[in-house]
Every structure is written in structure tokens, then in C-alpha cells.
Amino acid sequence: MKRFTLLTFISVAFLSAMILMSGCTKEGPAGATGATGPQGPKGEDGINGTDGTAGCIECHDNTQKMFGKTIQWEASTHATGGNFERNNRDCAVCHTSQGFLGSLDGSYDPDGGQEIKNPNPINCYTCHDIHNTYTPADYDLTFTDSFVPLMGGDAVDFGNSNLCAKCHQGRSLGTAPVEDGDDYQIFSQYWGTHHAPQANIMAGQGPIEFSGSESYGTNKHMSLIDNDCKTCHMAKAYGVKAGGHTMNMTYEYHGSDVLNTAGCTECHDDIADRTKEVQDEVKALLSDLEALLVDEGIIVAGSYRPIPGTYSANVVGAYVNYQMALEDKSYGIHNPTYVIALLKNTIAKITPAP
């Protein structure tokens, strides 16, 4: 028993000493920082990076590449026409930039009750692939394919002007009147092909082609010109008044309207005289057709909007042809033989027998 007690005592004493020594041990202060060694040798220079503005300068160099086009567009009807408040339904597809691009990629449904917020006019981004690659490839057009017009018929192909024709076409009439067909009811004063059916007139497709003595022919502008619209409308610019990105064909000069012939003279050396001859004839024919339609009661003098009611198919077809030839705005220049034949055959069709 004594031996165990002594051993126990010695063990407890040793453990207590160790704990006491451990508790008294403290970390000393850090030593002084050593001297900095000599600087190592200089490394090799890295490879120079690409200039961040190099791609931008290819376009934004304030020359005719961009600045000239911009100020021309600013003077165009696309920029100043004020039509982009029509920002819902199918109107927005052609009256707003967002609606047009949305119709191409499927993000805008003209029948879905959508409305374009903060609508933009037709602009650079509408027609070109701006800022996708930050190279001149951004000048590529957003739409170049051939297409079937809204009024039906065969596919049309205007080359690089398919972009223009996509909007500059008549809208669908649904079931259109046919020659000598059943009576036709017009429910609204807004019925018709709408404005700007230039693609239909150029292609000779969409109007009601009444039989008659006049031949409709083939449009040489479609067969001889690769990019129909832009060849004439975007020819060499006359300042910001015509041509280029203004797309205007006429301009005012010292009180007179002047035709911008820059895109026409390669084929026509008498374009000014020929233009006046065609337009005078078409204007006279439109006046004669308007008088007949007024007599039929489908329009009032000075207005192209129809009066709702039921009419013979031939009268309604004549109204369609009148509206399309009038709203084409070229007074026959886009397709002279066709428009003159169309109006003459139409007039003959609805002129009362003596």
C-alpha cells in the first residue's frame, strides 16, 4: 500500500510540473524583416493585343461609308414619315423596326395582340446585320430570299431588293373578286390592298387582270435589272434630296420637281421625256377610272377609300386595280406596259354599254 501511494505521489508531482512549465512558456516577438534581395532579370515582352477600335473604324470612319448614308437616311421617309406609331397587329411588321425583325425571327406575332413598346422607325438595324460581327459583314441584309406575296400567286425575286419588296406589297384580300363573278360585299372603308403595292405592280401580280384588247406583256425591269428597287432608288445620291439612302426619285430644285435619273440613264437616254409620257397617260386613265367608280357609288371623288356595300365583282375588281395603280405612286413607271393595259382593260370592263 505505501509503495503504491509513493508511486502515485511521484506521478502526480511530475504531471503538475509539466503543466506548470507548459503554462509558463510564451511565444517571443517576431524577428526583424530581412533585407530585400536583388531584382531579377527583366522578362520577355508579351505579344501586342489587337486594337480594340480596329473593327469599328472599318465602318465608323466618318466617310461615305457611314456618315453620308446616315444623313441621307435621316432625310428619308423611313426616318421622317411618322408611321411607326402604328405599332401593333400586322401594322407593326412594316411600320416599326422591331416588328419587321420580329416577323423574320418569329418573336413577333402580328395576330397575337402584341404591341411594340418604344417603336423605332425603319433604320440601319432593320435592313442590315449591324453589330453582329463588328466587321464589314455587318452590312449584310437581314432578308434576301424570294417570297410569295401576301396577295398570293407565284414567288417573286427582286434580288437584293427582296428586303424592300417584303413590305412594299399589297396585303391579302382574302377571297378576291373574280371577273364576272358573284356580287362582292365590302364591310369596311379600310378594305383593300392598302398602301405601297410596288412589288405587285413590278411583278405584274395581284391586280384583277380583266380580259380585253390590251396585252399585259412582261416587265423588262424585272428581267433586265438584277436588284430592281435599289438600282434606281439608291443610285448616286443628290445630296440628301434623292438617291442613296434617301431612296427618293425626285427632289425640289428652285421651285421645280426634278427626277433623279442616275439609275436610269444606263438603259434610257430619253428617260425624262419617256417618264412624262407614261405618267401623263396613266394619270389620265386613273382620272377616267375614278369617274366610273364614282358613278358606281363605290368611292367619292378625291378619295381612294371604298364605301362599304355590295357591288358587282367587276366593280370591286376595278376598284382594286384603281387603288393599286394609284398607291404604287410611280404612275406606271415601275411597269409601264402592264399598268396601261390594266387600266385600259378595266375601264372597258365597267364602262356602261351605250
Side-chain angles (χ1 to χ4, degrees):
M1 178 66 75
K2 288 183 179 181
R3 184 180 177 186
F4 175 77
T5 301
L6 180 61
L7 181 59
T8 300
F9 174 78
I10 292 173
S11 299
V12 170
F14 179 77
L15 181 60
S16 298
M18 291 298 294
I19 293 172
L20 182 62
M21 291 176 64
S22 175
C24 291
T25 302
K26 295 182 179 179
E27 184 177 350
T33 301
T36 302
Q39 183 175 353
K42 181 180 179 181
E44 295 181 3
D45 290 339
I47 300 174
N48 290 333
T50 302
D51 183 352
T53 64
C56 306
I57 293 172
E58 290 187 76
C59 296
H60 294 275
D61 58 355
N62 288 335
T63 69
Q64 68 275 15
K65 286 183 180 179
M66 183 61 66
F67 183 66
K69 293 177 173 64
T70 300
I71 61 174
Q72 290 161 18
W73 169 82
E74 289 173 349
S76 73
T77 302
H78 283 143
T80 63
N83 291 326
F84 57 96
E85 71 272 12
R86 291 171 172 81
N87 61 330
N88 58 5
R89 303 191 307 276
D90 57 343
C91 300
V93 172
C94 288
H95 285 279
T96 72
S97 179
Q98 300 100 314
F100 180 77
L101 294 175
S103 72
L104 296 181
D105 64 20
S107 62
Y108 179 76
D109 178 10
D111 299 319
Q114 287 181 269
E115 181 177 273
I116 300 296
K117 304 298 183 184
N118 300 315
N120 296 164
I122 303 305
N123 62 77
C124 307
Y125 288 83
T126 315
C127 301
H128 299 281
D129 289 327
I130 301 297
H131 292 165
N132 283 329
T133 65
Y134 294 92
T135 70
D138 288 345
Y139 281 126
D140 288 350
L141 300 177
T142 55
F143 182 82
T144 58
D145 299 334
S146 60
F147 64 96
V148 175
L150 295 174
M151 296 186 74
D154 300 326
V156 294
D157 190 352
F158 297 89
N160 281 343
S161 295
N162 284 327
L163 178 68
C164 311
K166 187 71 171 172
C167 276
H168 288 269
Q169 59 167 314
R171 64 187 178 192
S172 174
L173 296 175
T175 303
V178 296
E179 183 174 6
D180 299 327
D182 295 334
D183 287 353
Y184 197 99
Q185 185 173 11
I186 296 177
F187 291 96
S188 168
Q189 65 171 325
Y190 299 108
W191 182 88
T193 65
H194 200 46
H195 308 291
Q198 287 87 0
N200 303 92
I201 296 297
M202 284 284 292
Q205 193 169 300
I208 311 302
E209 295 182 1
F210 290 113
S211 56
S213 61
E214 300 293 324
S215 173
Y216 291 99
T218 301
N219 189 7
K220 292 182 180 180
H221 286 156
M222 286 289 289
S223 59
L224 298 178
I225 302 175
D226 291 332
N227 300 301
D228 303 85
C229 309
K230 68 184 295 293
T231 298
C232 294
H233 283 268
M234 300 187 70
K236 181 181 177 181
Y238 183 77
V240 295
K241 292 186 174 183
H245 277 70
T246 71
M247 303 177 199
N248 296 329
M249 286 302 300
T250 60
Y251 57 93
E252 186 275 332
Y253 185 76
H254 294 297
S256 300
D257 288 334
V258 180
L259 178 67
N260 183 31
T261 61
C264 311
T265 52
E266 183 177 345
C267 298
H268 303 281
D269 55 6
D270 60 344
I271 186 60
D273 293 338
R274 177 60 176 153
T275 296
K276 185 178 187 308
E277 177 187 341
V278 170
Q279 290 187 332
D280 285 349
E281 183 174 7
V282 169
K283 288 176 182 178
L285 290 170
L286 282 170
S287 180
D288 291 344
L289 182 53
E290 179 189 30
L292 289 169
L293 293 172
V294 170
D295 289 344
E296 292 288 348
I298 195 170
I299 62 171
V300 297
S303 173
Y304 70 90
R305 294 198 183 280
I307 299 170
T310 300
Y311 307 91
S312 73
N314 290 343
V315 168
V316 176
Y319 166 73
V320 170
N321 294 346
Y322 171 76
Q323 186 188 44
M324 293 189 77
L326 182 69
E327 287 294 296
D328 169 63
K329 303 292 188 182
S330 77
Y331 295 106
I333 296 302
H334 287 143
N335 195 347
T337 300
Y338 181 84
V339 171
I340 291 171
L342 181 74
L343 294 176
K344 285 184 175 181
N345 287 343
T346 300
I347 289 170
K349 191 69 181 181
I350 66 168
T351 297

